[in-house]
Amino acid sequence: MSESDYDLFVIGAGSGGVRAARVSASYGAKVAVAEEYRVGGTCVIRGCVPKKLLVYGSHFSEDLEDGKNFGWTWENAHFDWTKLRDHVLGDVDRLNNAYMDTLKNHDVEMILERAEIAGPNEIKLASGKTVTAKTILVATGAWPDVPEFPGSEYMLTSNEMFHLEKLPETVIISGGGYIANEFAGIFNGLGSEVIVVNRSDVILRGYDESLRDRLLQIGTSKGITYKFNCTFDKIEKREDGALDVYMDGRDRPVVADVVLAATGRRPKVDGLGLENAGVETNEKGAIKVDEYSQTNVESIYAVGDVTDRVQLTPVAIREGQAFADTVFGDNPRTVDYDMIPSAVFSQPPIASVGLTEGEARSQYGNIKVYSSDFRAMRNVFADRAERSLYKMIVEATSEKILGLHMIGPEAPEILQAAAVAVKAGLTKQAFDDTVALHPSMSEELVLLK
Ligand code: NDP
């Protein structure tokens, strides 16, 4: 008989936790996963998946408009928010069930309640029961960080945006990062007035400047308002639910139905009982781990956003997989964090891998930049002014690719494939040697000047 109740107890059934649980169980470990909300985590339940569906849904307004030059007319085209919302939430239910089935099929025990660490090998469940495990994996993710000022409690976070009763007439979005730009595109596409308010003078800090400028220009031309170096003073709620939003010391408020806080996410460690086992965190509250995701306590590991390494789903999945291979698969593995592609599902989307021009210049000094600034064939035909921009940054002598950045229709779809070449260390010449696939947007990648 095992001395512990479980070989592995996972806290949090998100992308990282589910992968770690499933793979560890396939190696023969006795595994339990505790989840206080729904199985699937942020990405599936209130993040990437429902967000992408809303992006698709909102883009039809442009598609319908563009269809005119392609010979189509639509009489009385009408958008129904509740229909889209409920269909999206239905899909989330489907995925939630699929995740639960996967765990069940791998003999992972699901404990649908809150769990806290009670000691290096002990977990206390919300029901009051205490269980033991040889290894504990914390995969609790991250949670929206809402700034504090008078009335900030009236702000919503991305968590609630998928459940809105009705389509807002005016949305004010605080922040200029991923979530701000993605929801700005969604609500702009659905017909709401959108105001993006950021504390600094940039959007999407960390992405290449030319792409950020292009998104700003296109977003503005689509009717999104951007306010920079702007702070919130207070928000007051009227009896009818409308919000008076006071900004930048002005006496007159801007009236909005929804104010979204998209100001970053912090590791979800509150009430997790880390102190009961002496697990160390860093200054941001993230759990400190080594390259094998092991904390300072030998029996406790952590993966995903709670460690604040790279806050992306595919990274959490890789960390969960590497953990399982290392601890239960007798195959010690670490995650390679170099050249991780990323995308912002703004409209148009941005996709990127490697160094920005600014980063490459300061790290390498001697670089070359190749680019293509073009209007996609479909946009030309539809009389849409929107231009795409692709940029390749190479080391000047070897022409090895240091970074590849794109903004334009389907940029994430195109970049994922191109990122393989960049990750493999190929040069600009390898792209030039490849015959163009015509007519396509991706052919611009092998025709960069
Ligand atoms: P981001 O870190 O992308 O952006 C945060 C924004 O809020 C920045 O513009 C920042 O300003 C501003 N900000 C930060 N703190 C404050 C504050 N205290 N008061 C006012 N403004 C503030 O965070 P998001 O919330 O958009 O997204 C969280 C994370 O989720 C992302 O980092 C990403 O890892 C992940 N995510 C990934 C997506 C994807 O892969 N497509 C989609 C959605 C989320 P500034 O930088 O100008 O100082």
Side-chain angles (χ1 to χ4, degrees), residues 204-212 339 342 350-365 367-369 391-394 401-405:
L204 294 168
R205 186 189 298 286
Y207 277 89
D208 191 89
E209 199 178 338
S210 322
L211 273 68
R212 295 193 260 134
M339 292 288 182
S342 65
I350 284 179
S352 172
V353 64
L355 301 179
T356 63
E357 183 179 345
E359 288 166 345
R361 220 173 272 291
S362 60
Q363 282 183 39
Y364 286 82
I367 60 160
K368 282 192 214 159
V369 179
K391 236 174 118 170
M392 184 184 274
I393 324 289
V394 304
I401 302 165
L402 303 175
L404 187 58
H405 310 279

PDB file of all heavy atoms in Angstrom, residues 204-212 339 342 350-365 367-369 391-394 401-405:
ATOM      1  N   LEU A 204       0.689  47.680 -26.714  1.00  0.00           N
ATOM      2  CA  LEU A 204       1.438  46.442 -26.945  1.00  0.00           C
ATOM      3  C   LEU A 204       2.950  46.590 -26.799  1.00  0.00           C
ATOM      4  O   LEU A 204       3.710  46.202 -27.691  1.00  0.00           O
ATOM      5  CB  LEU A 204       1.082  45.887 -28.335  1.00  0.00           C
ATOM      6  CG  LEU A 204      -0.362  45.432 -28.463  1.00  0.00           C
ATOM      7  CD1 LEU A 204      -0.723  45.176 -29.917  1.00  0.00           C
ATOM      8  CD2 LEU A 204      -0.608  44.160 -27.645  1.00  0.00           C
ATOM      9  N   ARG A 205       3.328  47.164 -25.682  1.00  0.00           N
ATOM     10  CA  ARG A 205       4.757  47.256 -25.348  1.00  0.00           C
ATOM     11  C   ARG A 205       5.368  45.861 -25.543  1.00  0.00           C
ATOM     12  O   ARG A 205       4.783  44.867 -25.165  1.00  0.00           O
ATOM     13  CB  ARG A 205       4.863  47.646 -23.875  1.00  0.00           C
ATOM     14  CG  ARG A 205       6.240  47.927 -23.361  1.00  0.00           C
ATOM     15  CD  ARG A 205       6.180  48.079 -21.859  1.00  0.00           C
ATOM     16  NE  ARG A 205       5.355  49.188 -21.411  1.00  0.00           N
ATOM     17  CZ  ARG A 205       5.710  50.475 -21.502  1.00  0.00           C
ATOM     18  NH1 ARG A 205       6.874  50.791 -22.011  1.00  0.00           N
ATOM     19  NH2 ARG A 205       4.911  51.435 -21.062  1.00  0.00           N
ATOM     20  N   GLY A 206       6.520  45.774 -26.148  1.00  0.00           N
ATOM     21  CA  GLY A 206       7.140  44.462 -26.344  1.00  0.00           C
ATOM     22  C   GLY A 206       7.027  44.003 -27.789  1.00  0.00           C
ATOM     23  O   GLY A 206       7.835  43.199 -28.252  1.00  0.00           O
ATOM     24  N   TYR A 207       6.024  44.487 -28.521  1.00  0.00           N
ATOM     25  CA  TYR A 207       5.933  44.148 -29.945  1.00  0.00           C
ATOM     26  C   TYR A 207       6.699  45.184 -30.760  1.00  0.00           C
ATOM     27  O   TYR A 207       6.979  46.303 -30.296  1.00  0.00           O
ATOM     28  CB  TYR A 207       4.469  44.069 -30.390  1.00  0.00           C
ATOM     29  CG  TYR A 207       3.864  42.717 -30.060  1.00  0.00           C
ATOM     30  CD1 TYR A 207       3.250  42.495 -28.837  1.00  0.00           C
ATOM     31  CD2 TYR A 207       3.981  41.654 -30.945  1.00  0.00           C
ATOM     32  CE1 TYR A 207       2.733  41.249 -28.515  1.00  0.00           C
ATOM     33  CE2 TYR A 207       3.468  40.404 -30.637  1.00  0.00           C
ATOM     34  CZ  TYR A 207       2.848  40.204 -29.415  1.00  0.00           C
ATOM     35  OH  TYR A 207       2.359  38.974 -29.109  1.00  0.00           O
ATOM     36  N   ASP A 208       7.064  44.825 -31.997  1.00  0.00           N
ATOM     37  CA  ASP A 208       7.832  45.715 -32.852  1.00  0.00           C
ATOM     38  C   ASP A 208       7.074  47.024 -33.102  1.00  0.00           C
ATOM     39  O   ASP A 208       5.868  47.016 -33.380  1.00  0.00           O
ATOM     40  CB  ASP A 208       8.126  45.016 -34.188  1.00  0.00           C
ATOM     41  CG  ASP A 208       9.129  45.783 -34.998  1.00  0.00           C
ATOM     42  OD1 ASP A 208      10.337  45.535 -34.830  1.00  0.00           O
ATOM     43  OD2 ASP A 208       8.709  46.664 -35.785  1.00  0.00           O
ATOM     44  N   GLU A 209       7.816  48.121 -33.022  1.00  0.00           N
ATOM     45  CA  GLU A 209       7.189  49.441 -33.075  1.00  0.00           C
ATOM     46  C   GLU A 209       6.402  49.686 -34.361  1.00  0.00           C
ATOM     47  O   GLU A 209       5.312  50.256 -34.346  1.00  0.00           O
ATOM     48  CB  GLU A 209       8.280  50.495 -32.920  1.00  0.00           C
ATOM     49  CG  GLU A 209       7.736  51.830 -32.513  1.00  0.00           C
ATOM     50  CD  GLU A 209       8.849  52.858 -32.311  1.00  0.00           C
ATOM     51  OE1 GLU A 209      10.003  52.463 -32.079  1.00  0.00           O
ATOM     52  OE2 GLU A 209       8.528  54.062 -32.402  1.00  0.00           O
ATOM     53  N   SER A 210       6.933  49.230 -35.497  1.00  0.00           N
ATOM     54  CA  SER A 210       6.236  49.487 -36.773  1.00  0.00           C
ATOM     55  C   SER A 210       4.871  48.817 -36.794  1.00  0.00           C
ATOM     56  O   SER A 210       3.914  49.348 -37.346  1.00  0.00           O
ATOM     57  CB  SER A 210       7.039  48.949 -37.953  1.00  0.00           C
ATOM     58  OG  SER A 210       8.391  49.122 -37.781  1.00  0.00           O
ATOM     59  N   LEU A 211       4.796  47.632 -36.189  1.00  0.00           N
ATOM     60  CA  LEU A 211       3.510  46.916 -36.165  1.00  0.00           C
ATOM     61  C   LEU A 211       2.526  47.605 -35.230  1.00  0.00           C
ATOM     62  O   LEU A 211       1.336  47.719 -35.527  1.00  0.00           O
ATOM     63  CB  LEU A 211       3.715  45.465 -35.701  1.00  0.00           C
ATOM     64  CG  LEU A 211       4.058  44.445 -36.785  1.00  0.00           C
ATOM     65  CD1 LEU A 211       5.436  44.715 -37.354  1.00  0.00           C
ATOM     66  CD2 LEU A 211       4.002  43.042 -36.251  1.00  0.00           C
ATOM     67  N   ARG A 212       3.058  48.068 -34.099  1.00  0.00           N
ATOM     68  CA  ARG A 212       2.196  48.750 -33.135  1.00  0.00           C
ATOM     69  C   ARG A 212       1.620  50.020 -33.761  1.00  0.00           C
ATOM     70  O   ARG A 212       0.446  50.325 -33.611  1.00  0.00           O
ATOM     71  CB  ARG A 212       3.001  49.123 -31.889  1.00  0.00           C
ATOM     72  CG  ARG A 212       3.493  47.920 -31.134  1.00  0.00           C
ATOM     73  CD  ARG A 212       3.976  48.348 -29.780  1.00  0.00           C
ATOM     74  NE  ARG A 212       5.412  48.470 -29.707  1.00  0.00           N
ATOM     75  CZ  ARG A 212       6.053  49.491 -29.168  1.00  0.00           C
ATOM     76  NH1 ARG A 212       5.382  50.512 -28.672  1.00  0.00           N
ATOM     77  NH2 ARG A 212       7.351  49.504 -29.114  1.00  0.00           N
ATOM     78  N   MET A 339      12.656  31.852 -28.862  1.00  0.00           N
ATOM     79  CA  MET A 339      11.870  31.963 -30.109  1.00  0.00           C
ATOM     80  C   MET A 339      10.449  31.410 -29.967  1.00  0.00           C
ATOM     81  O   MET A 339      10.016  30.548 -30.746  1.00  0.00           O
ATOM     82  CB  MET A 339      12.580  31.235 -31.260  1.00  0.00           C
ATOM     83  CG  MET A 339      13.854  31.865 -31.694  1.00  0.00           C
ATOM     84  SD  MET A 339      13.524  33.401 -32.596  1.00  0.00           S
ATOM     85  CE  MET A 339      15.194  33.889 -33.028  1.00  0.00           C
ATOM     86  N   SER A 342       4.197  34.450 -30.858  1.00  0.00           N
ATOM     87  CA  SER A 342       3.011  34.916 -30.151  1.00  0.00           C
ATOM     88  C   SER A 342       2.156  35.728 -31.107  1.00  0.00           C
ATOM     89  O   SER A 342       2.627  36.159 -32.164  1.00  0.00           O
ATOM     90  CB  SER A 342       3.400  35.771 -28.941  1.00  0.00           C
ATOM     91  OG  SER A 342       4.038  36.946 -29.378  1.00  0.00           O
ATOM     92  N   ILE A 350      -1.805  40.654 -35.125  1.00  0.00           N
ATOM     93  CA  ILE A 350      -0.340  40.782 -35.140  1.00  0.00           C
ATOM     94  C   ILE A 350       0.236  39.418 -34.798  1.00  0.00           C
ATOM     95  O   ILE A 350      -0.328  38.708 -33.963  1.00  0.00           O
ATOM     96  CB  ILE A 350       0.089  41.824 -34.080  1.00  0.00           C
ATOM     97  CG1 ILE A 350      -0.179  43.242 -34.578  1.00  0.00           C
ATOM     98  CG2 ILE A 350       1.533  41.647 -33.654  1.00  0.00           C
ATOM     99  CD1 ILE A 350       0.186  44.345 -33.579  1.00  0.00           C
ATOM    100  N   ALA A 351       1.334  39.052 -35.420  1.00  0.00           N
ATOM    101  CA  ALA A 351       2.010  37.805 -35.034  1.00  0.00           C
ATOM    102  C   ALA A 351       3.505  38.049 -35.095  1.00  0.00           C
ATOM    103  O   ALA A 351       3.984  38.807 -35.947  1.00  0.00           O
ATOM    104  CB  ALA A 351       1.611  36.667 -35.959  1.00  0.00           C
ATOM    105  N   SER A 352       4.227  37.393 -34.204  1.00  0.00           N
ATOM    106  CA  SER A 352       5.627  37.761 -34.057  1.00  0.00           C
ATOM    107  C   SER A 352       6.453  36.612 -33.477  1.00  0.00           C
ATOM    108  O   SER A 352       5.961  35.839 -32.663  1.00  0.00           O
ATOM    109  CB  SER A 352       5.657  38.966 -33.106  1.00  0.00           C
ATOM    110  OG  SER A 352       6.936  39.298 -32.746  1.00  0.00           O
ATOM    111  N   VAL A 353       7.694  36.526 -33.916  1.00  0.00           N
ATOM    112  CA  VAL A 353       8.634  35.601 -33.275  1.00  0.00           C
ATOM    113  C   VAL A 353      10.012  36.264 -33.260  1.00  0.00           C
ATOM    114  O   VAL A 353      10.387  36.946 -34.213  1.00  0.00           O
ATOM    115  CB  VAL A 353       8.670  34.223 -34.002  1.00  0.00           C
ATOM    116  CG1 VAL A 353       9.191  34.330 -35.434  1.00  0.00           C
ATOM    117  CG2 VAL A 353       9.491  33.200 -33.219  1.00  0.00           C
ATOM    118  N   GLY A 354      10.725  36.076 -32.165  1.00  0.00           N
ATOM    119  CA  GLY A 354      12.095  36.588 -32.078  1.00  0.00           C
ATOM    120  C   GLY A 354      12.173  38.054 -31.699  1.00  0.00           C
ATOM    121  O   GLY A 354      11.232  38.638 -31.164  1.00  0.00           O
ATOM    122  N   LEU A 355      13.335  38.646 -32.017  1.00  0.00           N
ATOM    123  CA  LEU A 355      13.631  40.001 -31.548  1.00  0.00           C
ATOM    124  C   LEU A 355      12.936  41.065 -32.397  1.00  0.00           C
ATOM    125  O   LEU A 355      12.803  40.916 -33.612  1.00  0.00           O
ATOM    126  CB  LEU A 355      15.143  40.252 -31.608  1.00  0.00           C
ATOM    127  CG  LEU A 355      16.042  39.312 -30.804  1.00  0.00           C
ATOM    128  CD1 LEU A 355      17.513  39.704 -31.001  1.00  0.00           C
ATOM    129  CD2 LEU A 355      15.678  39.343 -29.327  1.00  0.00           C
ATOM    130  N   THR A 356      12.508  42.141 -31.739  1.00  0.00           N
ATOM    131  CA  THR A 356      12.005  43.299 -32.475  1.00  0.00           C
ATOM    132  C   THR A 356      13.214  44.013 -33.080  1.00  0.00           C
ATOM    133  O   THR A 356      14.358  43.743 -32.701  1.00  0.00           O
ATOM    134  CB  THR A 356      11.276  44.277 -31.545  1.00  0.00           C
ATOM    135  OG1 THR A 356      12.230  44.777 -30.596  1.00  0.00           O
ATOM    136  CG2 THR A 356      10.128  43.606 -30.813  1.00  0.00           C
ATOM    137  N   GLU A 357      12.940  44.978 -33.960  1.00  0.00           N
ATOM    138  CA  GLU A 357      14.050  45.731 -34.555  1.00  0.00           C
ATOM    139  C   GLU A 357      14.868  46.431 -33.465  1.00  0.00           C
ATOM    140  O   GLU A 357      16.101  46.374 -33.473  1.00  0.00           O
ATOM    141  CB  GLU A 357      13.497  46.754 -35.561  1.00  0.00           C
ATOM    142  CG  GLU A 357      14.608  47.511 -36.260  1.00  0.00           C
ATOM    143  CD  GLU A 357      14.099  48.512 -37.284  1.00  0.00           C
ATOM    144  OE1 GLU A 357      12.919  48.448 -37.671  1.00  0.00           O
ATOM    145  OE2 GLU A 357      14.905  49.364 -37.691  1.00  0.00           O
ATOM    146  N   GLY A 358      14.164  47.035 -32.510  1.00  0.00           N
ATOM    147  CA  GLY A 358      14.856  47.752 -31.434  1.00  0.00           C
ATOM    148  C   GLY A 358      15.719  46.810 -30.598  1.00  0.00           C
ATOM    149  O   GLY A 358      16.883  47.117 -30.304  1.00  0.00           O
ATOM    150  N   GLU A 359      15.168  45.651 -30.249  1.00  0.00           N
ATOM    151  CA  GLU A 359      15.933  44.691 -29.437  1.00  0.00           C
ATOM    152  C   GLU A 359      17.141  44.176 -30.210  1.00  0.00           C
ATOM    153  O   GLU A 359      18.252  44.062 -29.661  1.00  0.00           O
ATOM    154  CB  GLU A 359      15.044  43.496 -29.056  1.00  0.00           C
ATOM    155  CG  GLU A 359      13.977  43.813 -28.027  1.00  0.00           C
ATOM    156  CD  GLU A 359      12.910  42.725 -27.920  1.00  0.00           C
ATOM    157  OE1 GLU A 359      12.816  41.855 -28.818  1.00  0.00           O
ATOM    158  OE2 GLU A 359      12.156  42.752 -26.944  1.00  0.00           O
ATOM    159  N   ALA A 360      16.942  43.868 -31.494  1.00  0.00           N
ATOM    160  CA  ALA A 360      18.032  43.321 -32.308  1.00  0.00           C
ATOM    161  C   ALA A 360      19.147  44.358 -32.450  1.00  0.00           C
ATOM    162  O   ALA A 360      20.334  44.020 -32.368  1.00  0.00           O
ATOM    163  CB  ALA A 360      17.500  42.907 -33.683  1.00  0.00           C
ATOM    164  N   ARG A 361      18.760  45.608 -32.640  1.00  0.00           N
ATOM    165  CA  ARG A 361      19.764  46.652 -32.796  1.00  0.00           C
ATOM    166  C   ARG A 361      20.594  46.795 -31.518  1.00  0.00           C
ATOM    167  O   ARG A 361      21.816  46.881 -31.570  1.00  0.00           O
ATOM    168  CB  ARG A 361      19.060  47.986 -33.105  1.00  0.00           C
ATOM    169  CG  ARG A 361      19.786  48.806 -34.130  1.00  0.00           C
ATOM    170  CD  ARG A 361      18.996  50.021 -34.546  1.00  0.00           C
ATOM    171  NE  ARG A 361      18.077  49.799 -35.642  1.00  0.00           N
ATOM    172  CZ  ARG A 361      18.429  49.549 -36.892  1.00  0.00           C
ATOM    173  NH1 ARG A 361      19.697  49.487 -37.222  1.00  0.00           N
ATOM    174  NH2 ARG A 361      17.528  49.349 -37.827  1.00  0.00           N
ATOM    175  N   SER A 362      19.923  46.748 -30.366  1.00  0.00           N
ATOM    176  CA  SER A 362      20.733  46.923 -29.150  1.00  0.00           C
ATOM    177  C   SER A 362      21.520  45.665 -28.800  1.00  0.00           C
ATOM    178  O   SER A 362      22.593  45.752 -28.234  1.00  0.00           O
ATOM    179  CB  SER A 362      19.876  47.414 -27.975  1.00  0.00           C
ATOM    180  OG  SER A 362      18.885  46.492 -27.698  1.00  0.00           O
ATOM    181  N   GLN A 363      21.022  44.484 -29.180  1.00  0.00           N
ATOM    182  CA  GLN A 363      21.783  43.256 -28.858  1.00  0.00           C
ATOM    183  C   GLN A 363      22.884  42.955 -29.867  1.00  0.00           C
ATOM    184  O   GLN A 363      23.933  42.450 -29.523  1.00  0.00           O
ATOM    185  CB  GLN A 363      20.842  42.057 -28.789  1.00  0.00           C
ATOM    186  CG  GLN A 363      20.057  41.994 -27.492  1.00  0.00           C
ATOM    187  CD  GLN A 363      19.189  40.744 -27.433  1.00  0.00           C
ATOM    188  OE1 GLN A 363      19.588  39.665 -27.863  1.00  0.00           O
ATOM    189  NE2 GLN A 363      17.992  40.894 -26.899  1.00  0.00           N
ATOM    190  N   TYR A 364      22.613  43.226 -31.164  1.00  0.00           N
ATOM    191  CA  TYR A 364      23.560  42.826 -32.217  1.00  0.00           C
ATOM    192  C   TYR A 364      24.255  44.013 -32.880  1.00  0.00           C
ATOM    193  O   TYR A 364      25.285  43.843 -33.518  1.00  0.00           O
ATOM    194  CB  TYR A 364      22.841  42.014 -33.306  1.00  0.00           C
ATOM    195  CG  TYR A 364      22.497  40.611 -32.865  1.00  0.00           C
ATOM    196  CD1 TYR A 364      21.370  40.371 -32.103  1.00  0.00           C
ATOM    197  CD2 TYR A 364      23.309  39.525 -33.203  1.00  0.00           C
ATOM    198  CE1 TYR A 364      21.050  39.098 -31.670  1.00  0.00           C
ATOM    199  CE2 TYR A 364      22.994  38.243 -32.784  1.00  0.00           C
ATOM    200  CZ  TYR A 364      21.865  38.041 -32.017  1.00  0.00           C
ATOM    201  OH  TYR A 364      21.565  36.769 -31.604  1.00  0.00           O
ATOM    202  N   GLY A 365      23.676  45.196 -32.777  1.00  0.00           N
ATOM    203  CA  GLY A 365      24.268  46.371 -33.439  1.00  0.00           C
ATOM    204  C   GLY A 365      24.081  46.344 -34.941  1.00  0.00           C
ATOM    205  O   GLY A 365      23.306  47.095 -35.503  1.00  0.00           O
ATOM    206  N   ILE A 367      22.553  45.040 -37.921  1.00  0.00           N
ATOM    207  CA  ILE A 367      21.417  44.234 -38.407  1.00  0.00           C
ATOM    208  C   ILE A 367      20.895  44.799 -39.729  1.00  0.00           C
ATOM    209  O   ILE A 367      21.226  45.917 -40.105  1.00  0.00           O
ATOM    210  CB  ILE A 367      20.250  44.220 -37.391  1.00  0.00           C
ATOM    211  CG1 ILE A 367      19.731  45.652 -37.136  1.00  0.00           C
ATOM    212  CG2 ILE A 367      20.634  43.543 -36.094  1.00  0.00           C
ATOM    213  CD1 ILE A 367      18.346  45.706 -36.558  1.00  0.00           C
ATOM    214  N   LYS A 368      20.108  43.988 -40.415  1.00  0.00           N
ATOM    215  CA  LYS A 368      19.409  44.481 -41.605  1.00  0.00           C
ATOM    216  C   LYS A 368      17.923  44.214 -41.417  1.00  0.00           C
ATOM    217  O   LYS A 368      17.547  43.224 -40.774  1.00  0.00           O
ATOM    218  CB  LYS A 368      19.890  43.735 -42.851  1.00  0.00           C
ATOM    219  CG  LYS A 368      21.220  44.205 -43.389  1.00  0.00           C
ATOM    220  CD  LYS A 368      21.406  43.591 -44.775  1.00  0.00           C
ATOM    221  CE  LYS A 368      22.871  43.287 -45.021  1.00  0.00           C
ATOM    222  NZ  LYS A 368      23.072  42.291 -46.056  1.00  0.00           N
ATOM    223  N   VAL A 369      17.136  45.085 -42.009  1.00  0.00           N
ATOM    224  CA  VAL A 369      15.685  44.923 -41.896  1.00  0.00           C
ATOM    225  C   VAL A 369      15.091  44.813 -43.294  1.00  0.00           C
ATOM    226  O   VAL A 369      15.355  45.654 -44.154  1.00  0.00           O
ATOM    227  CB  VAL A 369      15.050  46.139 -41.167  1.00  0.00           C
ATOM    228  CG1 VAL A 369      13.536  45.980 -41.065  1.00  0.00           C
ATOM    229  CG2 VAL A 369      15.658  46.306 -39.768  1.00  0.00           C
ATOM    230  N   LYS A 391       7.846  42.161 -41.541  1.00  0.00           N
ATOM    231  CA  LYS A 391       9.190  42.672 -41.286  1.00  0.00           C
ATOM    232  C   LYS A 391      10.096  41.527 -40.856  1.00  0.00           C
ATOM    233  O   LYS A 391       9.725  40.754 -39.968  1.00  0.00           O
ATOM    234  CB  LYS A 391       9.103  43.659 -40.114  1.00  0.00           C
ATOM    235  CG  LYS A 391       9.633  45.018 -40.399  1.00  0.00           C
ATOM    236  CD  LYS A 391       9.362  45.921 -39.229  1.00  0.00           C
ATOM    237  CE  LYS A 391      10.669  46.409 -38.647  1.00  0.00           C
ATOM    238  NZ  LYS A 391      10.463  47.474 -37.649  1.00  0.00           N
ATOM    239  N   MET A 392      11.242  41.434 -41.482  1.00  0.00           N
ATOM    240  CA  MET A 392      12.216  40.400 -41.083  1.00  0.00           C
ATOM    241  C   MET A 392      13.492  41.112 -40.631  1.00  0.00           C
ATOM    242  O   MET A 392      14.017  41.964 -41.345  1.00  0.00           O
ATOM    243  CB  MET A 392      12.518  39.488 -42.274  1.00  0.00           C
ATOM    244  CG  MET A 392      13.437  38.343 -41.959  1.00  0.00           C
ATOM    245  SD  MET A 392      13.822  37.392 -43.443  1.00  0.00           S
ATOM    246  CE  MET A 392      12.459  36.266 -43.522  1.00  0.00           C
ATOM    247  N   ILE A 393      13.960  40.748 -39.448  1.00  0.00           N
ATOM    248  CA  ILE A 393      15.186  41.348 -38.905  1.00  0.00           C
ATOM    249  C   ILE A 393      16.273  40.275 -38.987  1.00  0.00           C
ATOM    250  O   ILE A 393      16.069  39.160 -38.489  1.00  0.00           O
ATOM    251  CB  ILE A 393      15.019  41.745 -37.417  1.00  0.00           C
ATOM    252  CG1 ILE A 393      13.616  42.261 -37.096  1.00  0.00           C
ATOM    253  CG2 ILE A 393      16.127  42.675 -36.950  1.00  0.00           C
ATOM    254  CD1 ILE A 393      13.249  43.573 -37.633  1.00  0.00           C
ATOM    255  N   VAL A 394      17.399  40.603 -39.622  1.00  0.00           N
ATOM    256  CA  VAL A 394      18.475  39.608 -39.742  1.00  0.00           C
ATOM    257  C   VAL A 394      19.787  40.172 -39.213  1.00  0.00           C
ATOM    258  O   VAL A 394      19.992  41.395 -39.201  1.00  0.00           O
ATOM    259  CB  VAL A 394      18.672  39.142 -41.221  1.00  0.00           C
ATOM    260  CG1 VAL A 394      17.376  38.596 -41.789  1.00  0.00           C
ATOM    261  CG2 VAL A 394      19.231  40.251 -42.084  1.00  0.00           C
ATOM    262  N   ILE A 401      18.079  34.901 -39.423  1.00  0.00           N
ATOM    263  CA  ILE A 401      16.888  35.641 -39.004  1.00  0.00           C
ATOM    264  C   ILE A 401      16.838  35.748 -37.485  1.00  0.00           C
ATOM    265  O   ILE A 401      16.920  34.744 -36.763  1.00  0.00           O
ATOM    266  CB  ILE A 401      15.614  34.964 -39.537  1.00  0.00           C
ATOM    267  CG1 ILE A 401      15.678  34.870 -41.059  1.00  0.00           C
ATOM    268  CG2 ILE A 401      14.370  35.727 -39.107  1.00  0.00           C
ATOM    269  CD1 ILE A 401      14.672  33.927 -41.662  1.00  0.00           C
ATOM    270  N   LEU A 402      16.690  36.992 -37.019  1.00  0.00           N
ATOM    271  CA  LEU A 402      16.609  37.243 -35.579  1.00  0.00           C
ATOM    272  C   LEU A 402      15.169  37.466 -35.139  1.00  0.00           C
ATOM    273  O   LEU A 402      14.819  37.238 -33.989  1.00  0.00           O
ATOM    274  CB  LEU A 402      17.435  38.479 -35.218  1.00  0.00           C
ATOM    275  CG  LEU A 402      18.919  38.459 -35.609  1.00  0.00           C
ATOM    276  CD1 LEU A 402      19.560  39.802 -35.305  1.00  0.00           C
ATOM    277  CD2 LEU A 402      19.641  37.347 -34.847  1.00  0.00           C
ATOM    278  N   GLY A 403      14.352  37.955 -36.072  1.00  0.00           N
ATOM    279  CA  GLY A 403      12.953  38.218 -35.725  1.00  0.00           C
ATOM    280  C   GLY A 403      12.098  38.326 -36.968  1.00  0.00           C
ATOM    281  O   GLY A 403      12.583  38.731 -38.035  1.00  0.00           O
ATOM    282  N   LEU A 404      10.838  37.940 -36.826  1.00  0.00           N
ATOM    283  CA  LEU A 404       9.899  38.038 -37.937  1.00  0.00           C
ATOM    284  C   LEU A 404       8.587  38.562 -37.368  1.00  0.00           C
ATOM    285  O   LEU A 404       8.083  38.024 -36.373  1.00  0.00           O
ATOM    286  CB  LEU A 404       9.701  36.645 -38.562  1.00  0.00           C
ATOM    287  CG  LEU A 404       8.882  36.561 -39.835  1.00  0.00           C
ATOM    288  CD1 LEU A 404       9.474  37.431 -40.938  1.00  0.00           C
ATOM    289  CD2 LEU A 404       8.844  35.106 -40.317  1.00  0.00           C
ATOM    290  N   HIS A 405       8.065  39.620 -37.966  1.00  0.00           N
ATOM    291  CA  HIS A 405       6.910  40.313 -37.396  1.00  0.00           C
ATOM    292  C   HIS A 405       5.904  40.620 -38.491  1.00  0.00           C
ATOM    293  O   HIS A 405       6.288  41.068 -39.577  1.00  0.00           O
ATOM    294  CB  HIS A 405       7.371  41.620 -36.739  1.00  0.00           C
ATOM    295  CG  HIS A 405       8.534  41.404 -35.819  1.00  0.00           C
ATOM    296  ND1 HIS A 405       8.391  40.937 -34.540  1.00  0.00           N
ATOM    297  CD2 HIS A 405       9.863  41.540 -36.033  1.00  0.00           C
ATOM    298  CE1 HIS A 405       9.581  40.810 -33.986  1.00  0.00           C
ATOM    299  NE2 HIS A 405      10.501  41.166 -34.876  1.00  0.00           N
TER     300      HIS A 405
END
